[in-house]
Amino acid sequence: MHSKPIHSELKPIFKKIYESGKQRAITAFKVLEDQAAGLDDFDRLLILDRADQGVEKQLEDFEHPYYADNSGEETLLSYFASRTYLLSVDESAVLEEGVFLGQFQKLLSEAMRPLEDTIPKYTFEDFLNGVSCRYFENFKKEVTTDEANYYAIRDWQFVQLQKVVTYEYLFLASKLQSIVAEFTEPLLFLMDMEIKVRFMLDRVELEEKLVSAAFNELSFLNNVVPQPIDTNELTQKLTRFRNFDLDLMSIMPSTMDGPLLLVAENYPGCTGNILTLIYALDQLADWLDEIKVGRLIWTDQVKELDWAQIAANTRNAAAIEVDALTLEIEETAYNEDVPQEEIKQFLIGQFEHYRERFNRFKNKFLFAALKDDKDTEHTDRMVITNSFFGHAAEGNFKELKEAIIIKDMIWVIVQIYMDVMGTHRLEFANNDNSFFAVQSLLSTMVPDKELYNAMSDTLTNTLVQHESYFLPFDLFIQNHKENFHHIFHRGIDRLQGVLDDAVPNNKILYIQSRLKDLKQRELKLSRFTDNDREFGSYDDRYSTHFKEFLDLEAEFMRNVRDVEFQAPIKPANKPTKKLAVQDRNHLFNEDQDIFIAEMMESLGLTRSGRASLSERKKGAVRGIVEALSKHGILPLKSLDELCHAIAVKIGLELKSKLDFSQTSQRYEKLADTYIQQHYKAR
């Protein structure tokens, strides 16, 4: 007869594994301490920080992050017991590895904290005066400087970089215009240069000789770029450019003073700074591309955009919309003929509308920049920088407007709610605290990496976003509740699948152990009044749901235990081939295949059916897909799946999802025009 619940049965084994992993962490940490002995604070911190980054990388790749959870031994035991019994696997080795990683990271963090507290804060004045700071150059900003000085430094770097890049780009565009002014076929030369610039920036193999050869093909640079070019430095900076890794430590007063002086003197050429030249060529390639697709004429004077005016117009448009939306809400909220309960529900509905818009908003870092209403300069600078270097002005300023509207309207609603209801805490339908139980309940199920990370991210985001974005706490709590609700039910769905495949005896032990835990929990909670409970009143809906789920499983097993079963269908020798939902080569019919191929070729995205796209131009695929979908030419699949289908057709590798960009927007319009002109006529 088995009389112990599963976690009690495994506890002695778990304890040995846990202590072994913990001891490994202590030993590894002792090795680091010995290495750091006798070193100054900087070198000690450097050793610890590098080790911490290594652990972080290991944790990213670790398939069992729940075993690295430092919430406590009981939580780890719960994960281990559930997985051992239901999956019938011995995860002793990965449990020990998880404990080691979690405990090692904890020891590193505890050792680094006092060293970080002693770091002298680096200031903007230090930066301008050329003061070198090893800490600022090697460690994260949170521990080396305060927020105001950090953003002052970064703003200076981006402003000066953009100033020099703009000057060089405008000069090179003007130079090209003067070269082709007498040509019979100027566009042929310009398109040839566009191909060569893009090849050098995006496709040439990153070997010094090949990079140098590709660079020398850019004949328009003759006599405007100081010679000889350091090909080693060019190759290194080109590598970082392709990885979207801007080398900020090379944008210092000492490295930028010379180029800035030449710009101030209106020097007739490039400044000799390789970093600025690479980004100037990137701007030039974008200008040439605009000429190729017919959005610009090569003879038009090339001018710098009035970024400050664009930002001001965006803010004015947002303010006008906020005023109009506020008036609409006030008409209902302050209407004495409308019952108060109806007003309350109306305001909660409005709050939920803007919470949904906040959740759909992708680049949420904008809300951190918007938290100080008086500091518009930094926010505008950030959007301008992203627009300039990302070639996405229209999309970025559209996002800025949306972020301002969301932020302002959420606070407007909370203020009106306070005026009408006398409290700033909105009374939502789910105003209990039952969601607090989800984290502990999930540890008694069998979560996978994705589910555990979703829970962990929710916990982190609730705290970090509230602190960073300066938005009402209700917004983050509602998101937390909503996310935990979905995570709980995903956990139940996954558990159902695991139970269906589990060994019957192990399943019985798991169910009875978990039912015993839940009933003991109910017994403990019954001793407390609502006022005694740490987090106030809640209905315990998730524990109740979990118990009902386990009761149903137990009842089913009782009812079928004596049933003799013979499968009505014998399993096939070979697994049946799945329908090709993900076979991206079969998402389109023959007519669609032909039309899409012709359009891609006509728009210059392919040559003889194969992709002719740089890394930075891959967003064109998203634009093509959005236009085709709008006209009903593509099947009803996700945007990501359709983008990958097109990519597979043209032999293009996509390593990640394609985000909205100026490139995607441009090609959506071009494809839309092409479809209107050609598809209906087919």
Side-chain angles (χ1 to χ4, degrees):
M1 177 179 174
H2 197 99
S3 59
K4 287 184 179 181
I6 58 175
H7 54 279
S8 297
E9 185 72 35
L10 287 176
K11 194 164 189 174
I13 300 170
F14 168 83
K15 196 72 178 171
K16 288 181 181 177
I17 299 169
Y18 182 85
E19 289 302 325
S20 175
K22 190 175 179 179
Q23 189 56 50
R24 274 183 60 202
I26 292 170
T27 303
F29 182 71
K30 182 70 168 61
V31 170
L32 283 182
E33 280 191 317
D34 291 343
Q35 289 178 11
L39 300 177
D40 63 18
D41 285 355
F42 172 81
D43 288 325
R44 286 173 61 203
L45 186 57
L46 194 63
I47 289 173
L48 295 171
D49 184 67
R50 296 296 179 265
D52 186 58
Q53 290 179 34
V55 173
E56 196 63 44
K57 179 67 174 69
Q58 286 179 272
L59 286 171
E60 285 177 15
D61 300 334
F62 191 49
E63 287 303 312
H64 304 273
Y66 28 83
Y67 287 149
D69 193 313
N70 282 320
S71 298
E73 290 182 46
E74 287 302 317
T75 301
L76 292 186
L77 174 56
S78 187
Y79 283 123
F80 183 61
S82 298
R83 295 180 64 84
T84 299
Y85 273 84
L86 291 184
L87 300 178
S88 298
V89 292
D90 181 3
E91 292 187 336
S92 300
V94 290
L95 170 61
E96 183 185 347
E97 182 67 12
V99 172
F100 162 71
L101 291 171
Q103 290 293 316
F104 189 36
Q105 189 174 54
K106 182 181 177 183
L107 290 169
L108 289 169
S109 178
E110 289 171 351
M112 288 164 65
R113 199 171 299 121
L115 291 172
E116 290 172 345
D117 290 342
T118 63
I119 293 176
K121 297 301 181 186
Y122 193 60
T123 67
F124 180 49
E125 187 177 351
D126 292 334
F127 173 80
L128 290 180
N129 290 332
V131 175
S132 177
C133 177
R134 294 185 299 170
Y135 290 100
F136 183 75
E137 293 166 9
N138 287 278
F139 300 113
K140 54 184 181 287
K141 68 177 189 298
E142 291 85 356
V143 298
T144 59
T145 186
D146 59 40
E147 188 176 275
N149 279 286
Y150 173 80
Y151 285 118
I153 292 168
R154 292 297 181 240
D155 285 349
W156 185 94
Q157 290 175 309
F158 286 122
V159 167
Q160 309 315 320
L161 177 64
Q162 186 174 334
K163 184 183 293 185
V164 177
V165 169
T166 300
Y167 179 84
E168 294 186 340
Y169 149 60
L170 294 176
F171 177 84
L172 292 175
S174 176
K175 174 77 173 176
L176 271 174
Q177 287 176 322
S178 65
I179 289 173
V180 300
E182 304 300 325
F183 284 19
T184 309
E185 296 287 347
L187 287 178
L188 291 178
F189 179 80
L190 292 174
M191 293 309 94
D192 181 53
M193 285 301 105
E194 190 264 345
I195 292 168
K196 288 178 177 178
V197 171
R198 279 296 174 209
F199 178 74
M200 199 277 291
L201 290 176
D202 299 324
R203 292 193 290 276
V204 67
E205 289 186 41
L206 294 169
E207 296 178 11
E208 281 191 44
K209 288 183 179 179
L210 297 176
V211 170
S212 178
F215 183 82
N216 290 333
E217 285 291 307
L218 308 181
S219 57
F220 62 92
L221 294 180
N222 293 342
N223 303 319
V224 299
V225 175
Q227 296 292 336
I229 282 287
D230 184 335
T231 53
N232 178 265
E233 184 183 356
L234 177 62
T235 305
Q236 288 180 7
K237 285 189 163 41
L238 198 55
T239 302
R240 297 188 71 156
F241 169 81
R242 290 190 188 177
N243 292 327
F244 302 94
D245 178 17
L246 180 57
D247 184 10
L248 288 169
M249 296 316 298
S250 68
I251 309 170
M252 309 291 278
S254 58
T255 59
M256 296 301 291
D257 282 350
L260 287 168
L261 182 61
L262 292 175
V263 169
E265 294 174 347
N266 214 19
Y267 175 73
C270 293
T271 64
N273 185 296
I274 291 178
L275 179 69
T276 61
L277 177 60
I278 288 173
Y279 281 97
L281 288 171
D282 183 47
Q283 294 292 323
L284 185 73
D286 195 60
W287 174 69
L288 290 168
D289 190 56
E290 295 279 281
I291 293 170
K292 181 173 74 174
V293 298
R295 285 169 61 96
L296 290 176
I297 300 173
W298 72 268
T299 53
D300 290 345
Q301 184 181 357
V302 189
K303 296 180 180 178
E304 181 183 7
L305 291 175
D306 189 342
W307 294 106
Q309 190 58 54
I310 295 172
N313 292 344
T314 301
R315 287 184 174 277
N316 289 337
I320 290 169
E321 192 164 335
V322 166
D323 288 343
L325 291 167
T326 302
L327 282 173
E328 288 180 16
I329 293 174
E330 288 177 341
E331 284 178 5
T332 300
Y334 294 124
N335 188 335
E336 295 179 358
D337 296 331
V338 180
Q340 193 175 51
E341 181 62 25
E342 191 176 322
I343 293 173
K344 181 174 82 172
Q345 295 308 320
F346 166 74
L347 291 173
I348 290 174
Q350 289 293 310
F351 185 91
E352 288 293 85
H353 168 71
Y354 287 100
R355 182 172 71 88
E356 288 171 12
R357 282 172 68 167
F358 170 83
N359 289 337
R360 289 197 303 268
F361 195 87
K362 184 181 176 186
N363 294 318
K364 289 187 172 61
F365 60 81
L366 269 176
F367 291 99
L370 288 169
K371 69 180 180 180
D372 185 354
D373 291 330
K374 296 177 182 177
D375 185 14
T376 60
E377 187 178 342
H378 166 64
T379 308
D380 293 349
R381 166 47 45 199
M382 183 173 66
V383 176
I384 289 168
T385 297
N386 291 339
S387 299
F388 180 79
F389 291 102
H391 311 291
E394 186 174 346
N396 282 326
F397 281 101
K398 185 179 178 181
E399 277 198 333
L400 174 61
K401 179 185 174 184
E402 173 70 356
I404 292 170
I405 291 170
I406 292 170
K407 167 184 167 286
D408 288 356
M409 289 309 301
I410 285 176
W411 280 115
V412 163
I413 292 162
V414 170
Q415 183 58 56
I416 293 175
Y417 191 93
M418 177 70 181
D419 291 345
V420 176
M421 307 304 300
T423 175
H424 66 281
R425 297 304 305 272
L426 279 68
E427 296 179 27
F428 297 95
N430 62 345
N431 245 7
D432 61 84
N433 291 312
S434 56
F435 71 98
F436 281 119
V438 171
Q439 185 178 2
S440 62
L441 291 174
L442 196 68
S443 71
T444 65
M445 302 181 195
V446 190
D448 55 7
K449 181 176 182 176
E450 182 185 1
L451 202 55
Y452 175 83
N453 285 343
M455 179 189 71
S456 182
D457 290 346
T458 296
L459 290 166
T460 302
N461 288 342
T462 299
L463 298 173
V464 172
Q465 289 184 358
H466 174 59
E467 183 179 339
S468 302
Y469 299 164
F470 193 64
L471 290 169
F473 191 56
D474 278 329
L475 183 147
F476 303 108
I477 285 296
Q478 284 302 108
N479 279 348
H480 192 122
K481 290 180 180 180
E482 199 172 86
N483 289 341
F484 264 33
H485 176 81
H486 294 310
I487 288 167
F488 173 79
H489 287 287
R490 283 166 58 195
I492 289 287
D493 290 343
R494 173 173 164 75
L495 179 60
Q496 180 68 74
V498 171
L499 286 171
D500 289 345
D501 295 333
V503 175
N505 286 342
N506 288 3
K507 186 196 298 191
I508 292 169
L509 283 170
Y510 168 81
I511 291 172
Q512 294 306 318
S513 297
R514 293 311 178 213
L515 284 171
K516 179 175 181 284
D517 292 341
L518 290 167
K519 288 172 183 176
Q520 285 182 333
R521 184 174 184 275
E522 285 179 358
L523 187 62
K524 289 178 183 177
L525 289 174
S526 67
R527 300 174 189 169
F528 300 99
T529 65
D530 287 346
N531 291 331
D532 292 330
R533 296 180 183 186
E534 184 179 357
F535 299 109
S537 174
Y538 56 94
D539 64 9
D540 223 14
R541 72 184 71 168
Y542 295 108
S543 296
T544 302
H545 184 100
F546 190 32
K547 191 174 81 167
E548 290 173 352
F549 169 81
L550 293 173
D551 279 333
L552 280 172
E553 287 292 318
E555 183 182 2
F556 175 78
M557 294 192 71
R558 284 193 299 271
N559 291 339
V560 301
R561 62 188 170 190
D562 297 324
V563 176
E564 292 185 10
F565 176 74
Q566 184 175 357
I569 300 174
K570 292 182 179 179
N573 292 330
K574 292 182 180 179
T576 314
K577 187 178 178 183
K578 292 183 179 178
L579 292 176
V581 222
Q582 296 182 348
D583 186 354
R584 290 169 174 137
N585 290 321
H586 294 85
L587 284 176
F588 318 118
N589 62 38
E590 189 177 348
D591 285 343
Q592 290 169 337
D593 266 343
I594 294 170
F595 177 75
I596 293 169
E598 289 176 351
M599 181 172 69
M600 299 282 279
E601 202 79 18
S602 298
L603 296 179
L605 301 179
T606 58
R607 290 178 189 166
S608 302
R610 307 307 291 169
S612 176
L613 292 167
S614 67
E615 185 68 32
R616 290 168 170 260
K617 202 176 172 182
K618 287 182 179 180
V621 173
R622 174 179 171 135
I624 295 292
V625 167
E626 289 181 326
L628 289 166
S629 298
K630 185 170 73 173
H631 287 274
I633 299 172
L634 296 182
L636 294 174
K637 300 290 181 184
S638 71
L639 178 65
D640 183 45
E641 188 171 0
L642 293 171
C643 286
H644 276 82
I646 297 287
V648 168
K649 284 178 64 61
I650 62 176
L652 179 69
E653 182 184 6
L654 294 183
K655 296 179 180 177
S656 60
K657 290 184 179 181
L658 295 173
D659 295 330
F660 173 86
S661 65
Q662 186 178 6
T663 301
S664 69
Q665 188 180 45
R666 179 195 313 148
Y667 277 91
E668 181 184 358
K669 292 177 181 177
L670 289 170
D672 186 60
T673 303
Y674 184 92
I675 292 166
Q676 290 179 42
Q677 293 173 352
H678 299 277
Y679 191 71
K680 292 178 182 177
R682 294 176 67 84

